[in-house]
Amino acid sequence: NCSVCCKADWSIDIDEETYKNLSKVDWKQIDGKFLGKKIFTEKGGKKYFAYLSDRCIFLDNDDYCFIHKKLGFDAKTSTCKIYPFKFIKTADGIIARLSFVCPSIIKNIGIPLEEQLAEIEKIVTLKPEQMRRINETVAVNEDSKISWTDYKKLENFIIDLLKTGDNYESSLKSAAKFLRIVLEGLKKKEEISEILEKIDKKILPIVEKDDTFSKKQRLYYALFVGYEFVGRAKGSVFKKYSNLVKLIFKKGTLELNGKKFDVSRVYQTHFNIENRENIKLIKKYIEHLIFTKWHLLPADFSTPNVISGYSLILVIYALVKWFSRAFAVLRGTSVVELCDVENAVSIVDLNY
């Protein structure tokens, strides 16, 4: 009953059968909170649960679901049954991606996934039309493509590399450089196995301090941070432009999770990349994104390929660091702790 997913800024859609069944229930007789309130909304031909005071209208005061309590789990809409899973179809089968908005996922608590396989197999079938798919032929960039088998070799190489060395940030940047080496090899018509054999993973390339992002990656980073405080921000156009100016000049007051903070202090806050607890969660998150092929999923702003996808992985890492600092500032401290990283991973996974 953490109810985080019922309070998140999401539109919870309702399948037609569930809508018909829930519409037959006299909710006003069950609880007075439903009196005179709109229970369902409609947008673009789809029906959604209404929100009341920034929470799903079916969320009770004890943070349990009214539908689940009164009618049972099977009466819930498929969206709620599936959460915190998202399913992706690949040449290897169906992958279950986890939502890191869920506190149980963040803290790695609850029943192990291998003990839930029977239940997971049931909910996989609930929304087949929304299952994302990844092509068996994978683009490395706009000009080069490889087979699924070769992609898996490359992915395993990257994941192994990210477990190499004591500095995770350096390993992330080194992986980006190795991908460039792979791309150069492919241009020469070399085989993936041949290219990877040439690379000594024990000798990480030297990463210059100011070589974190390419120009495109910097643009993605700026757009993504701006999205939280400009694109999603509630209020007038003037307020959104004002927020954008504050981000550009790194000074002024912004609002995060209903609390105000000084933007300049974010850049004065220390994020210790050698803190094992903090990095352990970030590694878990980044490697989950890679394993579940998040970076290969079609996006509105780019054509999926390994190079641009991994660029976005680097941007996600930078966003987690930025929001970790911001949450530390909200706590009134200048040092990032695990709770700040947890909040940062959650907000990044929710919005990006």
Side-chain angles (χ1 to χ4, degrees):
N1 68 327
C2 75
S3 71
V4 168
C5 51
C6 311
K7 298 173 185 173
D9 190 14
W10 284 331
S11 296
I12 306 173
D13 62 296
I14 317 165
D15 56 86
E16 197 60 38
E17 184 180 353
T18 302
Y19 173 73
K20 289 177 182 177
N21 292 335
L22 295 180
S23 298
K24 297 174 185 176
V25 179
D26 188 352
W27 293 104
K28 300 178 185 65
Q29 290 293 325
I30 292 176
D31 194 279
K33 70 174 279 185
F34 295 103
L35 284 169
K37 297 293 188 302
K38 203 174 201 178
I39 297 177
F40 308 105
T41 61
E42 188 169 340
K43 185 179 179 182
K46 286 188 175 183
K47 295 178 177 63
Y48 301 88
F49 290 137
Y51 263 60
L52 184 63
S53 302
D54 293 326
R55 44 196 281 148
C56 175
I57 194 167
F58 284 104
L59 187 61
D60 202 353
N61 294 330
D62 60 2
D63 282 345
Y64 280 98
C65 173
F66 262 112
I67 299 172
H68 199 148
K69 285 201 300 184
K70 302 296 181 182
L71 305 176
F73 176 81
D74 290 339
K76 297 168 80 169
T77 184
S78 53
T79 298
C80 297
K81 291 176 184 175
I82 290 173
Y83 185 84
F85 299 104
K86 292 179 182 177
F87 298 108
I88 302 164
K89 192 167 187 178
T90 74
D92 288 337
I94 296 172
I95 295 175
R97 168 157 144 61
L98 303 171
S99 170
F100 277 71
V101 178
C102 176
S104 292
I105 305 300
I106 287 276
K107 296 182 182 298
N108 198 27
I109 57 177
I111 303 171
L113 290 179
E114 56 267 26
E115 296 178 20
Q116 301 185 56
L117 288 180
E119 289 80 3
I120 293 172
E121 286 174 356
K122 289 178 184 176
I123 62 175
V124 164
T125 61
L126 292 177
K127 275 190 167 183
E129 75 282 358
Q130 290 192 11
M131 187 181 296
R132 310 289 293 277
R133 287 171 171 78
I134 295 175
N135 293 331
E136 293 187 24
T137 302
V138 178
V140 178
N141 72 347
E142 293 84 354
D143 303 315
S144 300
K145 294 183 178 181
I146 56 177
S147 67
W148 183 256
T149 301
D150 280 345
Y151 169 72
K152 288 301 296 294
K153 292 176 185 176
L154 184 57
E155 178 186 288
N156 291 334
F157 174 87
I158 293 297
I159 290 177
D160 287 345
L161 176 61
L162 294 181
K163 295 174 182 176
T164 303
D166 298 324
N167 188 310
Y168 190 66
E169 188 165 304
S170 292
S171 295
L172 279 168
K173 296 174 187 177
S174 296
K177 289 188 174 291
F178 278 136
L179 283 175
R180 295 292 174 184
I181 295 173
V182 169
L183 186 58
E184 288 302 314
L186 290 173
K187 288 179 181 178
K188 298 174 184 176
K189 307 299 182 182
E190 296 178 352
E191 297 292 328
I192 282 287
S193 298
E194 180 186 353
I195 299 169
L196 297 181
E197 282 174 10
K198 290 180 181 178
I199 300 174
D200 186 354
K201 290 181 284 185
K202 295 179 182 177
I203 304 174
L204 299 182
I206 297 172
V207 180
E208 297 83 0
K209 185 177 180 182
D210 295 325
D211 194 31
T212 308
F213 292 141
S214 65
K215 288 183 179 179
K216 182 184 281 189
Q217 290 165 345
R218 290 180 189 277
L219 176 61
Y220 284 154
Y221 178 61
L223 289 173
F224 282 14
V225 174
Y227 174 69
E228 174 64 24
F229 300 103
V230 181
R232 294 183 67 253
K234 296 177 181 178
S236 65
V237 173
F238 174 78
K239 180 181 178 181
K240 293 185 177 186
Y241 276 118
S242 174
N243 286 352
L244 181 60
V245 170
K246 292 171 186 176
L247 286 169
I248 292 171
F249 290 98
K250 300 179 181 179
K251 59 174 65 175
T253 303
L254 290 176
E255 193 171 296
L256 181 61
N257 284 5
K259 297 179 181 179
K260 294 183 178 180
F261 69 99
D262 184 346
V263 179
S264 64
R265 287 194 57 202
V266 173
Y267 300 93
Q268 300 164 9
T269 300
H270 180 59
F271 185 101
N272 183 2
I273 59 175
E274 295 179 357
N275 183 302
R276 290 188 177 182
E277 286 300 312
N278 292 352
I279 290 299
K280 182 179 178 182
L281 174 56
I282 294 177
K283 287 175 69 173
K284 172 184 167 184
Y285 181 51
I286 294 294
E287 288 170 21
H288 184 70
L289 291 180
I290 295 173
F291 174 75
T292 57
K293 320 297 182 280
W294 172 85
H295 57 299
L296 295 180
L297 293 173
D300 294 335
F301 50 84
S302 68
T303 302
N305 65 63
V306 176
I307 298 295
S308 66
Y310 192 79
S311 293
L312 291 177
I313 292 287
L314 288 177
V315 172
I316 290 296
Y317 171 75
L319 285 170
V320 169
K321 283 181 64 178
W322 195 95
F323 280 105
S324 295
R325 292 187 177 111
F327 280 112
V329 171
L330 285 180
R331 290 192 302 106
T333 183
S334 59
V335 178
V336 170
E337 295 182 4
L338 181 58
C339 60
D340 304 314
V341 180
E342 290 176 346
N343 287 328
V345 169
S346 179
I347 199 169
V348 168
D349 199 61
L350 172 65
N351 295 325
Y352 306 106

